[in-house]
Amino acid sequence: MWIIGIVSLIFKSLVQTIKFMKTYKEIPQSKNPTLLKILKCVKSDMNFRLDVRIIESEYVKVPFLCGFFHPTIYLNTCFHNENEIYSVIYHELTHFVKHDNWLKFFLYCINIFFWWNPMIRNISENIYDACEYRCDQIVTKNMSSIQKIDYASIINRMTGRNASTPIGVTLVTKLNSDCVYHRLNTFLYPCKIKPAIRVIITSATGLMIVLSLLSILLISQANDFFTPADASITSANSYLIQNETGSYDLYCMGELIDTNLTDLTGLCGLPIK
């Protein structure tokens, strides 16, 4: 069952990736001079030296970044204000600089491997959100209160738009009302966390991750708590083997359960090999 879950999730991810590639492969890189000018400005401010591709499409529900070595930013055509475009591009490139794509891909693989563990999913979702909070704080670090409100309006407009893209490849963080509420609070009403509290939170999170990963032992040892002797004897999982002495050996689930049986009361329906 565990392997079936892993295979099905990998298959689902591949289907999403193929669908994504079919949707966007024909869209050329944006030649919009305004976008390219803003991109150049952002790269200069961030001291970012790699080439960055920008793709504009009405199919893009929320802005996102794709690529582990060569970043591509996907934008919706609804962005016209230069300040908004600057903030969005800065936010997405911050994900790349902080290696969030690698982190999210690793977490996605862990989620596939431990698909049955809700604690792993919960921890991953919190880490996804934390990546967004960090990028928001970096982008708004030198903004005025009015500029922060304008930036918050961008996030608010994206609420409820779920990008139909492969999480394992494009690493889109879906926006919902709870996530948006906490994101806005992180930069509109910033507060400093005391070092002691930060250590406690980090230690507790690390402990939860370790305990969740160790839960694999529950799966590997599950068979130790169930033996063929505990199973019901049916014609589907059991059979008899006749000995030279005329007695019978009883097998269940491929393992020997009893030997030298002469009284077959209750076992007459079992196949004899």
Side-chain angles (χ1 to χ4, degrees), residues 241-249 251 258-261 273:
I241 293 183
Q242 188 173 14
N243 299 321
E244 295 179 356
T245 59
S247 62
Y248 295 88
D249 293 338
Y251 286 80
D258 204 350
T259 60
N260 299 321
L261 294 175
K273 297 184 179 181

Side-chain angles (χ1 to χ4, degrees), residues 148-166:
K148 288 183 179 180
I149 292 174
D150 291 338
Y151 180 77
S153 68
I154 301 174
I155 298 176
N156 194 50
R157 288 208 312 269
M158 298 298 104
T159 305
R161 295 188 178 189
N162 292 331
S164 56
T165 50

Side-chain angles (χ1 to χ4, degrees), residues 152-257:
S153 68
I154 301 174
I155 298 176
N156 194 50
R157 288 208 312 269
M158 298 298 104
T159 305
R161 295 188 178 189
N162 292 331
S164 56
T165 50
I167 298 176
V169 175
T170 59
L171 307 166
V172 177
T173 299
K174 295 184 177 180
L175 295 177
N176 54 61
S177 57
D178 291 336
C179 174
V180 169
Y181 174 78
H182 292 296
R183 282 185 66 176
L184 298 184
N185 278 335
T186 57
F187 62 86
L188 289 177
Y189 309 102
C191 59
K192 292 185 178 181
I193 301 177
K194 295 181 179 180
I197 298 178
R198 190 185 300 273
V199 170
I200 293 174
I201 294 175
T202 303
S203 301
T205 303
L207 179 61
M208 290 178 64
I209 293 175
V210 170
L211 291 177
S212 298
L213 294 178
L214 288 177
S215 61
I216 184 64
L217 297 177
L218 297 177
I219 296 296
S220 62
Q221 296 179 1
N223 290 332
D224 295 340
F225 300 97
F226 180 84
T227 64
D230 300 321
S232 299
I233 303 298
T234 66
S235 58
N237 62 12
S238 306
Y239 56 88
L240 296 169
I241 293 183
Q242 188 173 14
N243 299 321
E244 295 179 356
T245 59
S247 62
Y248 295 88
D249 293 338
L250 173 62
Y251 286 80
C252 178
M253 300 174 63
E255 293 191 20
L256 181 63
I257 299 299

Side-chain angles (χ1 to χ4, degrees), residues 29-38 56 79-80 85:
Q29 182 176 350
S30 176
K31 302 296 184 180
N32 186 329
T34 301
L35 275 181
L36 298 180
K37 181 186 74 172
I38 296 174
E56 273 189 300
F79 293 104
H80 303 293
I85 297 173

Side-chain angles (χ1 to χ4, degrees), residues 113-169:
F113 197 70
F114 295 96
W115 59 267
W116 46 269
N117 191 328
M119 186 177 292
I120 291 289
R121 291 196 299 272
N122 184 262
I123 292 173
S124 298
E125 289 172 2
N126 284 313
I127 294 177
Y128 295 156
D129 292 342
C131 290
E132 296 300 328
Y133 301 158
R134 178 177 59 183
C135 288
D136 290 336
Q137 289 181 329
I138 292 174
V139 173
T140 60
K141 182 178 180 180
N142 297 317
M143 285 185 177
S144 65
S145 298
I146 299 300
Q147 290 173 323
K148 288 183 179 180
I149 292 174
D150 291 338
Y151 180 77
S153 68
I154 301 174
I155 298 176
N156 194 50
R157 288 208 312 269
M158 298 298 104
T159 305
R161 295 188 178 189
N162 292 331
S164 56
T165 50
I167 298 176
V169 175

